[in-house]
Amino acid sequence: MTGRVLVAGGTGRLGTLVVSALAARGAKVRVMTRNPRRASHLAAEHIEVVRGDVRDTASTAAAVADSDVVVSAVHGFAGPGRVTPASVDRDGNITLIEAASAAGADVVLMSVVGAAADSPMELFRMKYAAEAALAASTVPATIVRATAFLELWIDLLRRTAGRSNRPLIFGHGQNPINFVSVRDVAALVERVVTDPATRGQTLEIGGPHDLALNQLARMVAASRGAATAPRHLPPAALRTIAATIGRLRPELGRQVRAALAMDNHNMTHYQDAVRARFAELPCTSAEDILR
Ligand SMILES: NC(=O)c1ccc[n+]([C@@H]2O[C@H](COP(=O)([O-])OP(=O)(O)OC[C@H]3O[C@@H](n4cnc5c(N)ncnc54)[C@H](OP(=O)(O)O)[C@@H]3O)[C@@H](O)[C@H]2O)c1
């Protein structure tokens, strides 16, 4: 089963892979974006691009109309358009779920490993609220929870490394974190979109190992031929930023508070039930990406 699939967030890191994979297997894919220019790399047969914002009921309903499956790969943690986790990850997803319900479509919701009502991270609380809204609805749905995307963190470390080749880490960087490749997550999303047997289930996917940010930073530096140690913005400085400039600049405040949480809370992930169940999923390591 492929049919007609609406991908909200289809222009993003994960969404781009999901859209391409679904189109390659013959699905009619519609990409919803606030700015169609951000979808220019997706021009292909079977791919339609429509303008829409999950914070806007009318454009969301129009984008979802006639779909068999709605994939939500949006987030409001950071990015253009004054997005927030409350307006996108909670309320925007609820708008998508209501539109899917009206259209008689299934939903595949991207969430995070660790989503919980009492999480220290606002994003994780808002993802949990969307999961709860989905559970309270009658919409046939699959929730995919992923750990942190390797490619995003490698990019961030590369970008901050500069000429000294010393990536900048927010916090002490010693806490083990599970990272997963976006390629592996996209393969799972492609699978669940086309597999109605996964409806009613929450699937958690992580990567092959837990790494401290200090380890990942050294790997990034080594991949650029340098044996350099990362630089750090210590937790005390992060707390000061959160309490001062972070109040004036909400996105920065969010990033700093999330960094403090990632530096201290359990971010490991040992569950491999999904990989045992879907043996065809790739298992991409940090070394594979850096090679
Ligand atoms: N990154 C991670 O480490 C990670 C880990 C676990 C789970 N996830 C989840 O995986 C999904 C994809 O993440 P990603 O890192 O691939 O995202 P990304 O590259 O940052 O892309 C974000 C996407 O969200 C869309 N978006 C944001 N606000 C929107 C709005 N108001 N209306 C419509 N679209 C909106 C953007 O579309 P336009 O800008 O084109 O409108 C863009 O396509 C998200 O649900 C995220 O929470 C990510």
Side-chain angles (χ1 to χ4, degrees), residues 91-252:
D91 301 343
N93 274 323
I94 290 172
T95 300
L96 266 179
I97 293 163
E98 287 170 353
S101 176
D106 293 4
V107 167
V108 175
L109 174 72
M110 268 314 300
S111 186
V112 288
V113 167
D118 61 352
S119 168
M121 283 192 248
E122 183 191 7
L123 175 73
F124 286 34
R125 294 194 299 275
M126 297 303 119
K127 289 289 195 195
Y128 183 77
E131 292 186 9
L134 202 47
S137 79
T138 55
V139 173
T142 309
I143 294 167
V144 175
R145 289 178 164 188
T147 58
F149 291 174
L150 259 175
E151 289 85 347
L152 170 72
W153 285 90
I154 287 173
D155 277 359
L156 289 172
L157 292 168
R158 276 188 180 140
R159 243 184 276 153
T160 59
R163 270 193 245 136
S164 67
N165 234 333
R166 296 185 62 201
L168 179 65
I169 290 174
F170 280 22
H172 57 54
Q174 291 161 9
N175 198 29
I177 296 169
N178 188 274
F179 293 97
V180 65
S181 168
V182 71
R183 298 177 208 167
D184 302 8
V185 182
L188 179 60
V189 173
E190 178 192 354
R191 171 67 197 248
V192 305
V193 165
T194 55
D195 183 356
T198 61
R199 301 293 171 259
Q201 298 173 5
T202 297
L203 306 175
E204 296 201 334
I205 181 164
H209 34 232
D210 301 327
L211 289 171
L213 273 173
N214 286 341
Q215 284 174 286
L216 189 58
R218 284 182 181 276
M219 290 167 74
V220 167
S223 73
R224 295 151 64 112
T228 43
R231 296 168 294 141
H232 295 91
L233 205 51
L238 294 177
R239 279 190 285 274
T240 303
I241 294 170
T244 54
I245 187 171
R247 288 184 193 276
L248 302 172
R249 292 176 49 196
E251 185 172 325
L252 176 66

Side-chain angles (χ1 to χ4, degrees), residues 9 11-14 33-34 38 53-54 74-75 127 147 149:
T11 59
R13 194 181 289 272
L14 173 69
T33 171
R34 291 164 296 167
R38 283 204 277 272
D53 186 322
V54 294
V74 297
H75 73 80
K127 289 289 195 195
T147 58
F149 291 174

